[in-house]
């Protein structure tokens, strides 16, 4: 049976009621505070006082219950307003991001259809630009689908043991040509025995998006380094509850200004909007990374590397 979490109002209600129940229990068991030995109530006046105390307790309980319900209602109202505002902003962002590639595709195709005498060279250019915008649109829809699955169907995602060392090696092979084009180096310092329990597709998205982000924005001639160390993991109350792999993904490129570090995991957040769109970025890559890490029970943070560039540190729990 699933444990039901108490709302803030219920927590307040039961906390205060517990204090008063303890107080009344002391009042009932001892007829004054000067007594140190147990002595049952044996005078009518004491029973009357107990009755008054019990009635006061019930009255206080009703009043607390009323205000607890009001508190919960206000909290739910605020949460609903925040969710509605987030959805509104998300809808606006999606609409804005979709308009650009769709408008470009329509513009290029209409030009090709209405200008039969256009040169072959211009046709090839327009077709190439149309293809680029179509790929960007496809990537945006894929990223939105990934985020939607994490937001609304996380409990349906299959989990299995995943070899992260092999996964990163495969991604390194996939992006080798792009690294060569940009004269970038990859230092894979991962141990050969990294196993985590999670969803293979989302774990792939974590590392692939990190590579894509570094390749697109670190700059030519830079170095990407990924390493990992095994540490005891801690829950929110500071209690050690197992072990985790702590990953370090860094580059020595242009980095991210300090003012932007707290926002780089936000959806559709871009430091340089024009450059990001020209590179085909959707603005959702690092948001997917963060959500996927949190979904697997890990933590994530971003900072500036000591030697320049961006440093992203995150953890993934080790299966028990």
């Amino acid at each position: 049976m699933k444990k039901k979490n108490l709302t803030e109002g219920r927590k307040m209600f039961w906390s205060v009621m517990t204090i008063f129940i303890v107080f009344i229990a002391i009042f009932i068991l001892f007829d004054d505070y000067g007594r140190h030995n147990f002595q049952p109530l044996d005078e009518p006046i004491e029973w009357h006082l107990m009755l008054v105390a019990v009635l006061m307790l019930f009255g206080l309980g009703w009043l607390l219950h009323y205000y607890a319900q009001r508190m919960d209602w206000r909290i739910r109202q605020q949460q609903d307003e925040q969710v509605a505002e987030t959805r509104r902003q998300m809808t606006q962002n999606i609409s804005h991001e979709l308009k650009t590639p769709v408008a470009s595709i329509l513009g290029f195709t209409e030009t090709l259809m209405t200008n039969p005498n256009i040169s072959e060279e211009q046709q090839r250019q327009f077709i190439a630009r149309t293809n680029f915008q179509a790929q960007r649109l496809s990537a945006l829809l894929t990223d939105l689908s990934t985020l939607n699955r994490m937001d609304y169907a996380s409990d349906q995602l299959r989990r299995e043991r995943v070899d992260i060392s092999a996964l990163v090696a495969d991604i390194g092979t996939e992006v080798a040509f792009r690294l060569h084009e940009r004269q970038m180096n990859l230092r894979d310092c991962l141990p050969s025995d990294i196993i985590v329990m999670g969803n293979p597709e989302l774990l792939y998205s974590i590392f692939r998006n990190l590579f894509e982000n570094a390749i697109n924005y670190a700059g030519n001639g830079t170095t990407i380094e990924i390493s990992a160390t095994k540490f005891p993991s801690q829950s929110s109350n500071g209690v050690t509850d197992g072990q985790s792999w702590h990953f370090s993904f860094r580059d020595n490129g242009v980095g991210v200004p300090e003012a932007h570090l707290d926002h780089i995991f936000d959806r559709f957040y871009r430091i340089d909007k024009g450059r990001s769109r020209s590179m085909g970025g959707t603005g959702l890559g690092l948001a997917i990374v963060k959500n996927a890490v949190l979904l697997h029970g890990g933590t994530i943070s971003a900072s500036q590397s000591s030697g320049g560039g961006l440093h992203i540190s995150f953890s993934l729990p080790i299966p028990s």
Side-chain angles (χ1 to χ4, degrees):
M1 185 176 178
K2 188 176 180 180
K3 185 178 180 181
K4 186 177 181 180
N5 293 326
L6 292 176
T7 62
E8 293 301 317
R10 294 296 176 188
K11 290 178 182 178
M12 179 200 73
F13 171 76
W14 286 113
S15 297
V16 177
M17 288 299 293
T18 300
I19 294 173
F20 275 90
I21 289 173
V22 171
F23 172 78
I24 289 179
I26 295 173
F27 179 83
I28 293 173
L29 295 176
F30 301 94
D31 58 359
D32 62 63
Y33 291 111
R35 298 287 180 88
H36 298 287
N37 299 319
F38 174 78
Q39 182 175 340
L41 303 176
D42 53 7
E43 296 292 336
I45 187 64
E46 293 175 334
W47 288 102
H48 295 162
L49 289 173
M50 183 189 72
L51 180 61
V52 171
V54 171
L55 291 175
M56 290 178 62
L57 177 63
F58 277 104
L60 176 64
W62 179 87
L63 189 62
L64 284 173
H65 183 264
Y66 171 77
Y67 282 109
Q69 287 184 318
R70 292 286 298 175
M71 177 187 290
D72 288 338
W73 178 80
R74 290 179 180 176
I75 291 175
R76 284 195 300 269
Q77 188 179 43
Q78 291 176 352
Q79 291 174 339
D80 290 343
E81 291 175 355
Q82 291 176 353
V83 169
E85 177 64 18
T86 300
R87 288 178 177 174
R88 185 186 65 79
Q89 292 179 354
M90 187 71 172
T91 301
Q92 287 181 344
N93 288 332
I94 292 173
S95 176
H96 178 72
E97 293 296 330
L98 289 175
K99 282 181 180 178
T100 303
V102 169
S104 298
I105 291 171
L106 289 174
F108 292 140
T109 53
E110 287 176 1
T111 300
L112 291 171
M113 293 172 62
T114 57
N115 292 274
N117 298 324
I118 193 171
S119 67
E120 291 186 4
E121 179 63 25
Q122 287 181 315
Q123 288 182 12
R124 285 194 294 270
Q125 290 179 358
F126 283 2
I127 291 173
R129 293 174 183 174
T130 301
N131 180 262
F132 175 81
Q133 294 296 339
Q135 289 181 349
R136 180 184 164 200
L137 182 59
S138 176
L140 178 60
L141 293 174
T142 299
D143 286 351
L144 286 171
S145 176
T146 301
L147 285 170
N148 187 63
R149 281 195 304 155
M150 287 190 284
D151 287 343
Y152 302 107
S154 59
D155 57 333
Q156 300 178 10
L157 296 172
R158 65 185 178 90
R159 293 175 181 262
E160 60 187 58
R161 294 171 67 88
V162 179
D163 187 337
I164 298 298
S165 304
L167 178 68
V168 171
D170 290 342
I171 294 176
T173 302
E174 294 172 6
V175 300
F177 179 73
R178 294 184 61 199
L179 290 171
H180 177 73
E181 277 188 324
R182 297 180 180 277
Q183 299 178 331
M184 300 177 72
N185 298 313
L186 171 60
R187 294 181 59 192
D188 185 351
C189 303
L190 294 179
S192 59
D193 59 344
I194 299 181
I195 303 294
V196 302
M197 182 67 72
N199 179 264
E201 289 79 15
L202 291 184
L203 291 172
Y204 175 86
S205 296
I206 291 173
F207 293 95
R208 183 59 191 254
N209 278 298
L210 289 175
F211 273 100
E212 293 289 343
N213 186 75
I215 292 172
N216 287 337
Y217 307 116
N220 294 343
T222 55
T223 298
I224 300 172
E225 179 182 305
I226 180 171
S227 59
T229 308
K230 187 184 296 185
F231 283 110
S233 62
Q234 292 185 337
S235 59
S236 58
N237 59 6
V239 178
T240 300
D241 58 0
Q243 287 188 318
S244 295
W245 282 106
H246 288 234
F247 294 87
S248 174
F249 193 98
R250 67 176 74 227
D251 63 69
N252 60 350
V254 297
V256 173
E258 192 74 31
H260 296 280
L261 283 175
D262 292 337
H263 302 285
I264 63 172
F265 296 114
D266 295 348
R267 300 179 184 188
F268 294 112
Y269 188 83
R270 290 187 174 95
I271 299 173
D272 186 339
K273 296 183 178 180
R275 184 182 175 213
S276 179
R277 289 195 178 94
S278 67
M279 298 295 293
T282 64
L284 295 173
L286 291 183
I288 290 175
V289 171
K290 178 181 178 180
N291 282 27
V293 168
L294 296 180
L295 187 63
H296 284 85
T299 59
I300 187 168
S301 62
S303 60
Q304 293 181 341
S305 295
S306 56
L310 178 64
H311 178 207
I312 295 180
S313 174
F314 62 99
S315 65
L316 294 172
I318 299 174
S320 55

